[in-house]
Amino acid sequence: MKPSNWLAIAAALVAVLLVPPLLTPGSEADEGSQIRSLRVLVPNAPGGGYDITARTATKAMEDADLLGNAEVFNLPGAGGTVGLGRTVAERGNGKLVMSMGLGVVGSVFTNKSPSSLLDTTPVAKLIEESDIVVVGKDSPYRTIGQLIEAWKKDPGAVQVGGGSSPGGPDHLAPMLMAKAVGLAPKAVNYVQFDGGGELLASVLGGKVAFGVSGVGEYRDQIQAGTLRVLAVTSANRIPGIDAPTLSESGVDVKFTNWRGIVAPPGITDSDRAKLVGLFERLQKTPQWQEALQRNGWTGAFAPGEQFGSFLKEENTRVATVLKELGLA
């Protein structure tokens, strides 16, 4: 080989070694700061609030090119604590997160779960949402006043269904309602369903007198006229929902649910930063902002350690409420 050829090869090798690689999509440098695939565990049945939140968030991420691929899967049971146990057991897995909320906080106490949300890695609080008091279109109850009157007269005969196990939002809301109207919470005939999807059929079929669930879970049925909203639990009325608040109806209750994302314990600082960053970027996308409006959700983003502090406060608050109601 001629000396000139050797010199050319040597020069090319030096150039490869000295010039940094281009940061193209899918390169190692890009993967170092972003997550390309993610598994999202939903600890209740399809159609429930955690399920809708998880699928809405991952679709918005994919549509906004924040995430290459997401697998959402359901692992229901014991008010979300089966899924919680699985998440805690996945120690160190930075490619798995769990969609959760206030319901899992309460279920830990009422199901005497060996695992707690304080065992997980907090990633982000995402939304807040009002609960709604709903009946089927053929229900005899046209107003919240009529329902309360019948409930006070015979609380055992007026069954209330909720998509939460005892201690969850759909359980706590009617218990607080009962207390506000002079009923003993223990007298309430509460029927538990594993998520709002399972509850819906019983409300529509009149198997329970009324249901309590998140507004985002039933917006389509409300707009179609198959469900009637008697009241909302939030402090203010909800745009697009023709129903009063409990407070303005004479029931002194203001109650808001929330949902967020946690990861298994023991993940690396790098994986934790990637997950928090992913949900931070989600907040700025038009896809997510549209989803908030469409579902009647209030954005309530709190990342990482801030969400962790909130979880500790909620853990204490829920334990106190359950004791006050004689339910724990």
Side-chain angles (χ1 to χ4, degrees):
M1 185 177 290
K2 293 181 180 180
S4 59
N5 290 342
W6 280 108
L7 288 173
I9 293 170
L13 287 171
V14 169
V16 169
L17 292 172
L18 294 181
V19 178
L22 294 174
L23 300 181
T24 56
S27 70
E28 266 189 45
D30 184 58
E31 289 177 357
S33 61
Q34 295 191 8
I35 297 172
R36 302 313 305 163
S37 64
L38 188 67
R39 300 188 76 215
V40 184
L41 188 158
V42 175
N44 64 3
Y50 303 147
D51 187 69
I52 292 172
T53 304
R55 295 183 191 278
T56 301
T58 53
K59 186 178 188 307
M61 288 175 181
E62 290 172 341
D63 289 348
D65 293 326
L66 300 181
L67 187 64
N69 178 59
E71 178 197 350
V72 180
F73 67 101
N74 300 78
L75 185 62
T81 57
V82 170
L84 173 61
R86 164 72 178 274
T87 302
V88 172
E90 290 279 340
R91 184 177 186 85
N93 185 353
K95 298 295 177 67
L96 173 74
V97 296
M98 183 178 84
S99 175
M100 46 68 71
L102 177 57
V104 181
V105 178
S107 293
V108 167
F109 293 104
T110 57
N111 287 284
K112 296 180 172 53
S113 170
S115 299
S116 163
L117 284 167
L118 302 184
D119 297 326
T120 66
T121 300
V123 174
K125 178 186 174 189
L126 294 180
I127 64 165
E128 290 181 351
E129 178 185 41
S130 171
D131 264 2
I132 50 177
V133 180
V134 294
V135 295
K137 65 177 182 178
D138 297 323
S139 169
Y141 307 118
R142 310 292 301 183
T143 67
I144 187 67
Q146 291 174 347
L147 173 62
I148 294 296
E149 183 180 356
W151 200 22
K152 290 172 68 175
K153 185 176 180 180
D154 191 351
V158 181
Q159 291 183 318
V160 50
S164 302
S165 65
D170 300 352
H171 173 253
L172 288 177
M175 294 301 159
L176 291 171
M177 287 171 57
K179 185 178 180 182
V181 300
L183 287 174
K186 288 186 177 180
V188 175
N189 189 353
Y190 179 77
V191 182
Q192 172 188 334
F193 296 87
D194 200 352
E198 289 190 1
L199 169 64
L200 179 60
S202 289
V203 174
L204 292 175
K207 294 180 180 178
V208 293
F210 68 103
V212 176
S213 190
V215 61
E217 297 173 67
Y218 291 159
R219 187 169 285 271
D220 290 346
Q221 288 79 16
I222 295 166
Q223 292 175 347
T226 56
L227 284 180
R228 184 186 310 131
V229 183
L230 300 185
V232 300
T233 67
S234 51
N236 301 305
R237 290 196 177 207
I238 300 172
I241 302 293
D242 184 19
T245 66
L246 287 172
S247 297
E248 68 181 281
S249 303
V251 183
D252 188 17
V253 172
K254 298 182 183 70
F255 183 86
T256 304
N257 188 14
W258 58 265
R259 299 193 190 105
I261 300 290
V262 296
I267 64 174
T268 66
D269 290 343
S270 173
D271 282 342
R272 180 176 175 275
K274 289 178 189 177
L275 289 169
V276 172
L278 175 64
F279 285 93
E280 283 180 330
R281 291 191 292 275
L282 172 66
Q283 307 309 303
K284 302 172 185 177
T285 65
Q287 291 87 348
W288 180 245
Q289 294 303 314
E290 189 276 330
L292 292 178
Q293 184 175 4
R294 182 178 71 250
N295 289 288
W297 296 338
T298 300
F301 184 68
E305 293 181 4
Q306 187 179 340
F307 182 39
S309 297
F310 174 80
L311 280 178
K312 291 178 183 177
E313 293 170 1
E314 284 292 89
N315 207 58
T316 301
R317 183 179 75 89
V318 170
T320 300
V321 170
L322 288 173
K323 287 178 182 177
E324 287 177 353
L325 293 174
L327 302 169

